[in-house]
Amino acid sequence: MKIVKIIAWIALIAFVVVQFFQVDYNRSETVPQTDFMLVNNVPAMVEQSLQVSCYDCHSDNTDYPWYNKVQPVASFLEDHIKEGKEELNFNEWGNLSDRRKNSKLRSIINQIENGEMPLNSYTLIHRDAILSEAYKIAVIDYMKKLKDSLE
Amino acid sequence: MKKVKQTVRIMTLVATITLTMSCKDAETKNDQPKNHSEMNHQKEKNQEMSMNNGQMTSGETILNKYFDLKDALVNDNNSKAKDMGNALAESLKTFDATIYSSNEKNELNDIIQDATEHAEHIGKSDIKHQREHFKMLSKDLTDMVAITGSSIKIYEQYCPMYDGGTAWLSRSENIKNPYYGSSMLNCGKVQREIN
């Protein structure tokens, strides 16, 4: 029993200590002119879906709920967001060539169709980020249209 | 007294944990530049080697790596395709576009950037994903060959069934389908010959 108590204490103190390790939050006050929504004429339904389901990891601005600022969750998320932005950053859409837009759109369509995005580990907590069938179809249709307009 | 002892013990433990953690942190921070310089060194070495061979990567080398990758997909070999994808990505990064006109250079750089991303994905994906990226990679390299040309005859082949119709490049006239592998090895036809 004593051991359990000691372990609990250690865990608690370690948890407090780890809070002092700061992370770089993915926050930006401004939206650049190259943003996907500014470059394209995006229907409201699609815009809302992208903002809620994608922009947290695929833009320069993450909407952090309080529990995501708690360590070690925050560190885990930092890597996650970095990786997400490397693959695709909607804020920098306008900087991509048509060829690269085409590639990105194809990947977006494939991954949403196959249910690979948004990630399960993300929707587990962000229940509102789950794309319902109607929203999924709206997003895919729009992305396909956009892709066809580039070809 | 006992309680004090216990508290001291806990404090020591926590201090140790904190110290090890921060040390670890510092270590990784120190490691990074070291790795970087090592990587740079490696890069320099590679560049030197290709310099010694007289040139950096040409369109020809890239095509050969692409054909190796294609063969791995024809054989349904996921892990070989990963290796070939990574090898191709490395070659693409050292592609030498300096001999081309500025318009061609821009186009080539765009192609290479896109192709590198696909090759890198192929280097870390399951076979279904690899084939999705191979489709886009094939388009990139077809456009590359249109600029760089090729010393050997290349066949553009086409499978109407995969993803609404998909092309790929091959050294041989015989159809061996990289998108289906053994499940539909001979599906497709020669669409065009590139000299």
Side-chain angles (χ1 to χ4, degrees), chain A residues 2 6 9-10 13 17-18 21 87 97 99-100 103-104 106-107 110 114 116, chain B residues 6 13-14 18 107 110-111 113-114 117-118 121 128-129 132 136 140 143 163:
Chain A
K2 210 169 128 195
I6 295 174
W9 266 106
I10 294 171
I13 294 170
V17 168
V18 84
F21 291 84
E87 289 295 336
S97 69
R99 179 184 300 276
R100 310 211 59 215
S103 286
K104 298 291 178 197
R106 189 178 280 278
S107 295
N110 277 338
N114 297 335
E116 290 161 58
Chain B
Q6 201 183 326
L13 247 170
V14 170
T18 324
E107 173 86 17
D110 186 30
I111 291 171
Q113 216 183 359
D114 198 66
E117 220 173 279
H118 293 309
H121 273 270
K128 184 171 164 284
H129 258 122
E132 285 170 10
M136 295 183 269
D140 285 340
D143 294 342
D163 191 27

Side-chain angles (χ1 to χ4, degrees), chain B residues 109-132:
Chain B
N109 284 335
D110 186 30
I111 291 171
I112 298 296
Q113 216 183 359
D114 198 66
T116 307
E117 220 173 279
H118 293 309
E120 280 172 350
H121 273 270
I122 289 169
K124 59 182 180 194
S125 302
D126 58 58
I127 196 144
K128 184 171 164 284
H129 258 122
Q130 286 178 329
R131 287 176 166 144
E132 285 170 10

